[in-house]
Amino acid sequence: MTRAAAAAILSHWRRHPLQLATLIIGLALATGLWSAVQAINGEARASYARAAEQLGTSGADRLVPASGSIALSRYAALRRAGWTLAPVLEGTVRFGRQSFDIMGIDLLSHPLAANLADASDQDGAAPMDALLPPGRFFAHPDTAAELAAVQQQHPVTRTSALPRGVLVADLSLASRLLRQPGTLSYLLILPGQTPDLAPLAQLAPELTRVAAKSAAADTARLTDSFHLNLTAFGLLSFAVGLFIVQGAITLSLEQRRGLIRTLRGLGVPMQLLVGLFAAELAAVAVIAGAAGLAGGYLVAAALLPDVSATLAGLYGAPVDGSLSLRPGWVLSGLAMALGGTFLAGAKALFALWRMPLLAAPATRARGQQAGRSHLLSAAGGIACILAGTAVISIFQGLVAGFVFLGGLMLGAALLLPLLIATGLRLGARLARRPYAEWLWADTRAQLPGMSLALMALLLALATNIGVGTMVSSFRLTFVGWLDQRLASEVYVTARSDTQGAELAQWLGSKGVTVLPIRSSDVRFKGAPLRIYGVADDATYRQHWPLLDALPQIWDRVAAGEAVLINEQLARRYDLSPGGSFQLEPGWVLAIGGIYSDYGNPNGQAIVALDRLLARAPDVPNRQFGLRLPPQEVPDLIKSIRQRFEIPRENIIDQASLKARSLAVFDRTFVITAALNLLTLGVAAFAMLTSLLTLWSQRLPQLAPVWAMGLSRRQLAATEVLRSLMLAAITAVLALPLGLVLAWALLAVINVEAFGWKLPMHVFPGDWLRLFLLALLAAVVAAALPARRLSRLDPAELLKVFANER
Amino acid sequence: MNVRPVLALVFTAWASSAFPQGFAGLGSDAEGFAMPQRGQRLSFPQDHGPHPDFRIEWWYLTANLEGADGRDYGIQWTLFRSALAPGEGDGWQSPQVWMAHAAVTASDQHLFAERIARGGIGQAGVTSQPFMAWIDNWQMASAQDNLENLTLTAAGESFSYDLLLSADGPLVLHGEDGYSVKSAGGQASYYYSQPHYQVSGTVTLPGGAVEVTGHGWLDREWSSQPLAEDQSGWDWFSLSFESGAKLMGFVLRAESGDFTSGTWISADGTAEPLEPGAFQADPLDYTMVEGRSIPTRWRAALPGKSVSVEVEALNPQSWMGTSFPYWEGPVTVTGSHSGTGYLEMTGYE
Amino acid sequence: MVLKIRNVTKSYPGQTADDAVLRGVSLDLAAGTSLALTGDSGSGKSTLLHLAGALDHFDSGEIEIGATQLSRLGDRQRAALRRQEVSLVFQQFNLIPSLTVRQNISLHARLGGRWDAVWGQQLADRLGLSGLLDRYPEQLSGGQQQRVAIGRALALRPKLLLADEPTGNLDETASAAVMELMLELVRESGAALFLVTHSSAIAQMLDRQLHLKHGKAA
């Protein structure tokens, strides 16, 4: 019996291959976009973890200085107090034109040493030669190749056990190259400490213990918001895809009502039928899920290079550009497909379960019948919006922001049918001609079948408007900010402090205003903080992008009374002008102002240069901003090059620097734009599938009109017109939703994710473009059904009038 | 320790024959390193301190103790210095590497720990005026410029000790005034001892702290070339007899024939270097330790002094599973003379 | 003549000339007269009706409505002809479910540009639909729905009214009442009525009868 019943149920698809294709493609799209995002996130997270592990920092807690660096004598003292620690000195070294991050470790105590020793053995190097001059580098083969191209002095051991982009060396070499013989960056606290040692807080109160998890999670902390953004996008695509799936499942069950009734009449129990349908859905989910995973993998592989560029540019987080296949990812993708399918099919299956044995087939025709369900769905929508609003007004944080957005979007989608129906009713009132009257009424009648697709379109359009507005606002603000921030005509980086001093003197003698860019890296509440010292110069007074400041702020800064902090820092710790700020133990200044500092994940502060030098006399003096008349820039650059041995790329004029910054910015949002477009594509596909699935139900309604003298061509045009009308109304409704979304992204999500708030700018031109795009999507979606209609054999229409059912 | 593979190479070169030619060429030629010279007089307190021009050096203290609980204990405290290149440098540029081993042995347990440190940065080192040897929080220190009175501390994850040592006898110079020959081919080291310590203090074990008293023995030795190429390891005995006399004897095992030597120290502290071959030691019993068969009961004899004794490990499992592994533990002596002592055995594969 | 059918043949794909659904049928229908077409299932009577309504194409012969030869018309002109000259009443009523009764009645006439509100109101009154004008088809009984369909067809004042088993979905009593009303209104409107039925009782109510057998007039 089971086999016969299954065969009967499945025979449906043989007659409706397009419906089957819709179901599978819809589900594959949903799973695909979701899995793509997950694959990207997974790869990025794995990269962070791998890098942390490869640098031996995954298991051990760290001791970090509250400010500056750790004195070597402090390390020795802690050692002599019994703490087994591994010292690390980090910095950047330059060989020729290229700089490298270097991590200096004690090869006798660092957890990495064993791996490196093995690699060194395989190289055939003498043991411990890394501790003796000239020293030895350890690097990933790729990095080693780059290094070999610019220096031969120090032998390099290649080992893929290290992440790309970092050179590891014994402290003997690293401290020599970094010219820091007496300082360390941080200390790893090794496992297996002697019990009953004096506590670290007592021995070294100026050092902060950072838990292993949070040390490794430094990158994760910065990038979490980025990944949450991606996940939200993935979930949105998934939801949009499920709309398609839901439509297809409902239709396929609806069309098989007669069949189901017959089978039940023939004695097939309902339980078996529901089981068979569930099995059918599961099979579809697995097939479509697998297809989606394959597609998602390709999408992820295509997007990953941009994502890794973004993460590197924005957060300095290393992500390999290659994608690996993780079993967990495959399983979760399939689970999503199965879960999504049953979520989408639950209502239809439940309806099937409740279906009485004898009842007239459902006629889905009249808009009025749907009126009540529109009201119900609208009520649910309002509840969603209210709930989201309640969450954001009570809770704070990124998750609350996304809950608000989720509530808003879902609520708006649920409100959509009622709004469109109302709009159509209003339109019908305006209609004077019978054709128009019929068109409005018929469109309204078609709404229940279209509303899911329209919801998908609404979400896609609103997301496009919202994210587009966010990105464009950000870009506009960023460009303005760059103009202010990059006020100097030329930026030069000398190769050494000595050269820097010579350069500054020489430039001064030529009448060029030299603004030293000197900074000291410290820790504020465990997180990195960079303190810049600035000279008192009109450039800062005129150009620095202050968001909020006390009067005479620059006088106060110059007098050493006040500190300027960046917006991120102010928001993270709820600081405002007039408050006080502890830069280092014993160095507290009034907060004089807050400045915008886009694209920087970390805290930053500005003090008078002489005050910084008084605290940290040995901060490097190699970077300078130069003020001079713009027309003299090319000559100056040329003469600096002639006189000083400074690599070409170390002298950058303002325009190039801006261009470079903007390029990084634009690359950051490539993935956003790509996901935007894909979501819109999915929505267009949802419309197409809705129109196609409504096809067979449409004929009985079209045939009489045709019989009354509307040609098939006119009917086809009507189909397109109807689709346009629905898309247009949806697009109009999407605009306010998109703007609310943009506001939420700029004022809530951005603040949480990056630490800065951005002014919102509106771009009506973009809206028009998007409106046209929505209409285009509507035309494309309606084109296929319309074409079919215009070429339809009259016999098909005549069947409607056939007397024999 | 993760650095084990690296360090093993540095220290095993002279401690066993696993690398007979030595990765740094220890067995043959000393590149730039100072060599022990016959007739060179030792000079104190300077020679209590380090000799960075020599490749290797150690401060090696062992003690046989009796606890207030009536049980026998042994402790070891060793600081090794190994130079990757001769001489000293500033900070991280120093070529000196330090390693220390500490152990506590009872008949039923043997606990040990290892520390490794860079020279030049203050984490480890030795000064002679006043005398102090340290690595991390382990140290052997005096308030004076000599080795008469020392405090000794060390701690591992599961044990620690804190002891006072006071010498009631003179330093003993081995060989010819401290020039100690180590092979028939003439390999030699500088070698002196302070074998006359009275020891008291506390040993803390997982079961709790124990007050202990006993006697201890400090060895000081440095060289650049301690082993002949074919020597595979050694068995080293330091025995204290109830008569007050002491015997230091070692066997350097080699394919070409074992080389033995040692020093007889009379109850009054007078030292007599032994002729090569005068000291005899033969294994009586073997014990499986860490997968190797190791002699843990010996017949030791010095016919010239009518010594013929049985030397038996207090705990046959006194295995030092450190970067370079070896056997080291307290022994009891019976036979013609009775007493206690320490036995070190290296090079058993 | 409102309707002139000359030697029309029609076959569906896969049919040979011998088993074609229509194998040379001819008839004439003058204004103000009525003709009942009877025959067994499959005799081709619905097909002939569809051809007369310019809903389908024939293979050979000619059909004229008024002076218009259908064989010469393109899609657009055929649609225009249906819009303005021909009305249909079907067994399934085929009302537009999304429109009210009022809109359904007026739809065809307004599409054809011949809506006469007075005539429409008269029709509604006569058909007993005046109280139901704002309802939707689904809210009506079968008899009421068919009266709406008749109203829609006649509101156009068509030259030719085609009816395919108009009472086939109604019980006997309702059927007779609807037929009588329809014939009365047809007479008043001056249209020619071409009606397909399998019921000889209904056929007898019309002016003339034609029996179709195997695609030919019998």
Side-chain angles (χ1 to χ4, degrees):
Chain A
M1 176 174 72
T2 307
R3 180 179 288 207
I9 285 173
L10 291 176
S11 67
H12 171 79
W13 300 116
R14 210 173 309 129
R15 289 192 42 226
H16 299 89
L18 192 65
Q19 205 177 75
L20 182 62
T22 303
L23 185 58
I24 289 178
I25 292 173
L27 192 57
L29 277 176
T31 316
L33 284 184
W34 166 257
S35 314
V37 164
Q38 287 316 105
I40 289 171
N41 281 347
E43 190 62 47
R45 295 225 168 88
S47 279
Y48 309 146
R50 196 163 49 235
E53 192 180 320
Q54 287 178 333
L55 292 177
T57 55
S58 55
D61 287 7
R62 289 186 194 195
L63 275 182
V64 300
S67 71
S69 51
I70 303 174
L72 185 55
S73 55
R74 168 59 84 196
Y75 164 64
L78 288 173
R79 270 287 190 173
R80 297 208 55 190
W83 286 91
T84 45
L85 309 166
V88 177
L89 174 66
E90 290 177 326
T92 310
V93 286
R94 210 174 170 90
F95 291 108
R97 302 183 150 202
Q98 223 171 333
S99 28
F100 296 85
D101 286 340
I102 184 169
M103 180 168 131
I105 62 173
D106 176 1
L107 275 177
L108 297 189
S109 65
H110 197 277
L112 260 182
N115 286 342
L116 301 184
D118 288 348
S120 174
D121 274 2
Q122 284 162 12
D123 259 15
M128 300 305 224
D129 81 327
L131 271 60
L132 295 174
R136 172 173 290 273
F137 284 124
F138 300 85
H140 187 277
D142 293 355
T143 310
E146 291 173 29
L147 184 63
V150 289
Q151 73 92 34
Q152 280 82 38
Q153 195 188 347
H154 311 283
V156 186
T157 293
R158 291 151 195 264
T159 165
S160 45
L162 289 174
R164 288 182 179 78
V166 64
L167 305 180
V168 172
D170 181 68
L171 271 161
S172 53
L173 174 58
S175 67
R176 212 154 62 225
L177 291 173
L178 295 170
R179 295 191 183 83
Q180 293 190 58
T183 52
L184 297 168
S185 302
Y186 64 89
L187 307 173
L188 287 182
I189 302 174
L190 299 172
Q193 298 288 343
T194 313
D196 304 325
L197 297 175
L200 286 167
Q202 185 185 320
L203 294 168
E206 82 284 8
L207 301 184
T208 315
R209 182 173 185 148
V210 181
K213 218 170 169 184
S214 71
D218 240 18
T219 322
R221 175 178 65 83
L222 291 173
T223 53
D224 255 358
S225 51
F226 180 83
H227 293 301
L228 193 55
N229 270 321
L230 279 190
T231 304
F233 244 118
L235 214 51
L236 178 74
S237 312
F238 188 69
V240 167
L242 284 194
F243 284 126
I244 304 176
V245 176
Q246 211 247 351
I249 292 175
T250 308
L251 184 74
S252 80
L253 285 180
E254 191 109 314
Q255 288 178 341
R256 282 182 283 185
R257 272 170 173 262
L259 171 72
I260 293 161
R261 207 162 264 130
T262 308
L263 286 173
R264 287 190 65 191
L266 294 175
V268 179
M270 196 64 210
Q271 286 85 340
L272 178 62
L273 281 177
V274 172
L276 285 174
F277 277 107
E280 177 188 277
L281 283 186
V284 166
V286 168
I287 293 167
L293 281 171
Y297 187 84
L298 294 178
V299 171
L303 289 177
L304 194 62
D306 279 313
V307 172
S308 58
T310 299
L311 287 165
L314 214 51
Y315 306 102
V319 175
D320 276 359
S322 60
L323 197 63
S324 46
L325 202 59
R326 288 162 221 291
W329 172 77
V330 172
L331 287 179
S332 77
L334 286 179
M336 277 303 269
L338 272 170
T341 306
F342 281 100
L343 191 69
K347 202 177 140 198
L349 277 182
F350 185 68
L352 178 66
W353 182 261
R354 297 281 303 273
M355 191 174 80
L357 183 52
L358 293 172
T363 47
R364 128 198 326 246
R366 230 182 64 219
Q368 276 58 39
Q369 224 177 26
R372 228 190 94 189
S373 78
H374 286 168
L375 276 177
L376 267 177
S377 129
I382 288 171
C384 282
I385 293 175
L386 288 180
T389 313
V391 165
I392 191 114
S393 46
I394 297 169
F395 302 101
Q396 295 208 320
L398 203 56
V399 175
F402 277 114
V403 168
F404 167 67
L405 282 187
L408 181 73
M409 302 283 277
L410 184 62
L414 289 174
L415 269 172
L416 184 71
L418 182 68
L419 293 176
I420 292 188
T422 310
L424 290 173
R425 196 170 292 133
L426 290 176
R429 265 196 214 155
L430 297 173
R432 287 290 162 260
R433 294 182 39 221
Y435 169 72
E437 220 166 64
W438 168 73
L439 178 60
W440 287 109
D442 186 58
T443 306
R444 192 139 48 91
Q446 214 186 336
L447 189 55
M450 287 291 294
S451 59
L452 282 172
L454 293 174
M455 287 180 191
L457 183 65
L458 176 83
L459 292 186
L461 287 174
T463 308
N464 266 276
I465 293 172
V467 174
T469 304
M470 189 268 281
V471 173
S472 300
S473 297
F474 194 179
R475 196 172 194 280
L476 201 65
T477 311
F478 187 70
V479 169
W481 173 81
L482 274 183
D483 283 344
Q484 287 186 301
R485 181 80 175 250
L486 300 179
S488 295
E489 279 69 24
V490 179
Y491 291 84
V492 190
T493 306
R495 282 149 55 107
S496 67
D497 286 359
T498 325
Q499 192 187 43
E502 286 169 18
L503 179 69
Q505 199 183 3
W506 179 77
L507 287 165
S509 73
K510 297 199 74 175
V512 175
T513 306
V514 180
L515 304 175
I517 302 170
R518 304 180 69 172
S519 65
S520 164
D521 287 337
V522 302
R523 290 246 162 195
F524 181 75
K525 297 192 176 168
L529 170 70
R530 177 163 290 180
I531 305 175
Y532 276 97
V534 301
D536 186 10
D537 188 90
T539 303
Y540 297 109
R541 292 171 183 267
Q542 288 160 11
H543 293 284
W544 201 254
L546 289 172
L547 293 172
D548 188 8
L550 300 177
Q552 281 97 47
I553 175 59
W554 291 104
D555 291 337
R556 291 183 195 216
V557 170
E561 295 164 5
V563 58
L564 295 171
I565 57 174
N566 68 353
E567 187 186 0
Q568 292 81 311
L569 195 62
R571 290 194 186 278
R572 202 169 298 150
Y573 301 106
D574 201 15
L575 304 170
S576 56
S580 62
F581 184 75
Q582 181 178 341
L583 291 140
E584 278 181 23
W587 190 14
V588 179
L589 290 180
I591 298 171
I594 292 165
Y595 59 94
S596 51
D597 184 22
Y598 305 121
N600 170 18
N602 291 322
Q604 205 181 79
I606 290 179
V607 297
L609 181 57
D610 51 347
R611 302 299 160 128
L612 178 70
L613 294 183
R615 291 270 168 178
D618 50 357
V619 294
N621 184 30
R622 292 174 208 172
Q623 271 190 290
F624 306 94
L626 311 181
R627 300 305 311 270
L628 66 160
Q631 66 273 16
E632 294 172 18
V633 166
D635 285 343
L636 180 76
I637 291 179
K638 202 182 290 173
S639 53
I640 293 177
R641 273 203 206 113
Q642 282 165 356
R643 190 168 171 101
F644 294 93
E645 211 183 302
I646 293 181
R648 181 173 291 267
E649 67 281 358
N650 277 13
I651 311 174
I652 306 173
D653 64 285
Q654 192 193 71
S656 315
L657 191 55
K658 274 183 193 164
R660 206 178 290 176
S661 304
L662 269 183
V664 169
F665 179 94
D666 287 340
R667 226 172 143 182
T668 301
F669 290 101
V670 164
I671 179 162
T672 313
L675 284 176
N676 246 342
L677 212 61
L678 285 175
T679 313
L680 198 61
V682 172
F685 185 72
M687 278 188 70
L688 169 69
T689 56
S690 296
L691 290 173
L692 285 178
T693 49
L694 284 175
W695 171 254
S696 57
Q697 301 175 336
R698 299 279 307 138
L699 283 187
Q701 290 161 54
L702 293 176
V705 187
W706 169 72
M708 279 180 251
L710 281 188
S711 66
R712 284 170 297 170
R713 188 182 297 235
Q714 273 171 305
L715 288 177
T718 306
E719 283 298 292
V720 175
L721 202 60
R722 189 189 345 264
S723 171
L724 275 176
M725 212 155 73
L726 288 172
I729 296 176
T730 306
V732 167
L733 292 173
L735 180 60
L737 181 62
L739 291 181
V740 176
L741 179 63
W743 169 81
L745 286 173
L746 288 168
V748 181
I749 303 291
N750 255 306
V751 174
E752 296 297 338
F754 303 105
W756 54 70
K757 192 172 181 170
L758 295 163
M760 182 158 132
H761 299 274
V762 290
F763 301 88
D766 286 357
W767 303 345
L768 183 66
R769 199 172 49 84
L770 200 62
F771 187 76
L772 295 176
L773 211 58
L775 296 190
L776 181 69
V779 172
V780 169
L784 190 59
R787 189 164 162 273
R788 257 170 78 172
L789 193 56
S790 70
R791 298 190 175 181
L792 189 67
D793 188 340
E796 291 292 316
L797 286 161
L798 285 173
K799 275 185 196 160
V800 172
F801 306 126
N803 292 338
E804 294 85 13
R805 281 213 173 184
Chain B
M1 288 292 271
N2 281 316
V3 290
R4 181 171 294 181
V6 185
L7 273 176
L9 297 179
V10 176
F11 286 95
T12 47
W14 49 267
S16 81
S17 70
F19 308 97
Q21 286 301 317
F23 267 68
L26 288 187
S28 50
D29 194 18
E31 319 123 358
F33 287 101
M35 300 292 284
Q37 304 292 321
R38 191 185 297 266
Q40 172 78 42
R41 288 199 67 82
L42 297 185
S43 139
F44 300 107
Q46 291 82 1
D47 279 331
H48 295 323
H51 303 82
D53 289 341
F54 288 80
R55 196 185 290 270
I56 52 145
E57 181 161 18
W58 58 74
W59 292 255
Y60 210 124
L61 191 128
T62 54
N64 295 89
L65 303 168
E66 191 180 337
D69 57 2
R71 301 184 54 178
D72 288 332
Y73 295 95
I75 64 102
Q76 178 199 345
W77 191 105
T78 315
L79 179 62
F80 303 94
R81 181 189 61 76
S82 172
L84 303 175
E88 192 46 293
D90 272 348
W92 295 111
Q93 308 309 320
S94 165
Q96 306 292 329
V97 175
W98 299 82
M99 178 168 76
H101 293 165
V104 175
T105 312
S107 59
D108 57 351
Q109 58 187 334
H110 174 78
L111 304 168
F112 63 90
E114 179 177 62
R115 293 298 177 102
I116 291 159
R118 299 291 286 262
I121 60 166
Q123 183 188 351
V126 177
T127 60
S128 55
Q129 292 162 297
F131 174 76
M132 176 154 72
W134 77 92
I135 184 167
D136 291 349
N137 57 335
W138 301 2
Q139 67 175 24
M140 175 159 63
S142 167
Q144 300 146 337
D145 299 347
N146 56 46
L147 305 178
E148 300 292 299
N149 294 288
L150 300 175
T151 57
L152 183 75
T153 57
E157 271 186 81
S158 55
F159 74 93
S160 65
Y161 52 76
D162 189 349
L163 303 171
L164 285 173
L165 289 73
S166 67
D168 57 5
L171 294 177
V172 171
L173 308 183
H174 300 286
E176 297 173 37
D177 294 332
Y179 181 83
S180 165
V181 175
K182 288 292 190 291
S183 77
Q187 268 87 359
S189 66
Y190 291 115
Y191 186 8
Y192 70 91
S193 301
Q194 171 48 278
H196 304 294
Y197 285 117
Q198 296 302 317
V199 182
S200 65
T202 311
V203 172
T204 306
L205 293 160
V210 186
E211 295 299 315
V212 292
T213 55
H215 56 266
W217 179 312
L218 171 67
D219 268 353
R220 283 278 293 114
E221 188 159 12
W222 63 96
S223 177
S224 293
Q225 193 197 23
L227 291 190
E229 285 181 15
D230 67 339
Q231 289 174 338
S232 62
W234 67 40
D235 307 301
W236 178 93
F237 300 78
S238 62
L239 309 176
S240 300
F241 305 123
E242 280 165 6
S243 62
K246 300 174 198 299
L247 170 63
M248 186 283 286
F250 58 83
V251 182
L252 289 161
R253 305 189 299 278
E255 288 160 27
S256 56
D258 295 352
F259 177 86
T260 79
S261 183
T263 304
W264 174 259
I265 304 163
S266 332
D268 65 1
T270 317
E272 272 177 57
L274 306 180
E275 288 302 315
F279 174 73
Q280 297 158 16
D282 302 296
L284 295 177
D285 260 346
Y286 290 83
T287 305
M288 283 306 288
V289 181
E290 293 287 321
R292 314 144 208 251
S293 177
I294 289 185
T296 51
R297 202 160 65 86
W298 291 76
R299 159 79 52 197
L302 182 60
K305 297 289 178 186
S306 311
V307 174
S308 174
V309 292
E310 258 189 44
V311 175
E312 182 165 15
L314 174 66
N315 180 347
Q317 299 293 333
S318 299
W319 184 252
M320 297 294 285
T322 42
S323 294
F324 69 91
Y326 57 102
W327 193 102
E328 170 108 30
V331 291
T332 53
V333 182
T334 53
S336 67
H337 295 63
S338 52
T340 55
Y342 248 79
L343 170 61
E344 179 187 76
M345 298 179 281
T346 69
Y348 286 92
E349 288 305 313
Chain C
M1 282 302 136
V2 174
L3 175 66
K4 218 187 256 179
I5 297 179
R6 286 289 173 271
N7 208 19
V8 161
T9 65
K10 166 77 175 173
S11 58
Y12 290 113
Q15 287 180 330
T16 60
D18 283 344
D19 58 357
V21 65
L22 293 177
R23 297 187 293 163
V25 179
S26 303
L27 64 84
D28 292 316
L29 187 60
T33 68
S34 59
L35 172 68
L37 188 61
T38 58
D40 300 334
S41 289
S43 59
K45 51 188 196 299
S46 286
T47 304
L48 187 57
L49 185 91
H50 292 156
L51 292 179
L55 293 169
D56 208 349
H57 297 270
F58 44 88
D59 300 340
S60 67
E62 186 58 274
I63 297 177
E64 289 177 21
I65 293 175
T68 312
Q69 297 187 333
L70 293 191
S71 64
R72 299 185 170 196
L73 297 185
D75 229 28
R76 187 177 303 199
Q77 292 147 311
R78 293 162 75 91
L81 183 74
R82 288 200 305 273
R83 210 151 56 228
Q84 287 160 356
E85 311 289 358
V86 186
S87 281
L88 296 113
V89 176
F90 299 105
Q91 180 180 357
Q92 316 284 355
F93 327 138
N94 295 101
L95 300 178
I96 309 289
S98 53
L99 297 179
T100 61
V101 168
R102 187 196 308 281
Q103 287 170 322
N104 263 295
I105 290 176
S106 65
L107 181 63
H108 196 174
R110 292 168 72 203
L111 282 172
R114 294 164 64 166
W115 172 241
D116 175 347
V118 179
W119 169 234
Q121 188 59 47
Q122 276 180 17
L123 277 173
D125 290 344
R126 297 283 298 280
L127 289 163
L129 298 169
S130 306
L132 306 171
L133 289 176
D134 289 322
R135 297 215 186 161
Y136 285 88
E138 269 180 10
Q139 295 165 300
L140 305 181
S141 72
Q144 288 168 330
Q145 287 195 41
Q146 191 58 301
R147 277 182 274 151
V148 175
I150 292 166
R152 178 177 70 185
L154 290 175
L156 180 69
R157 288 185 184 277
K159 274 190 189 142
L160 176 62
L161 175 62
L162 301 171
D164 192 357
E165 301 277 10
T167 60
N169 268 12
L170 305 177
D171 61 48
E172 224 165 293
T173 330
S175 169
V178 165
M179 270 313 295
E180 274 172 29
L181 195 52
M182 181 165 84
L183 289 173
E184 200 178 313
L185 290 169
V186 165
R187 268 195 295 278
E188 284 176 31
S189 73
L193 172 64
F194 182 31
L195 180 140
V196 167
T197 183
H198 66 271
S199 152
S200 54
I202 288 177
Q204 291 306 320
M205 296 169 79
L206 273 64
D207 301 343
R208 287 191 294 145
Q209 292 80 31
L210 183 67
H211 190 73
L212 214 55
K213 199 167 185 182
H214 297 311
K216 277 189 158 172

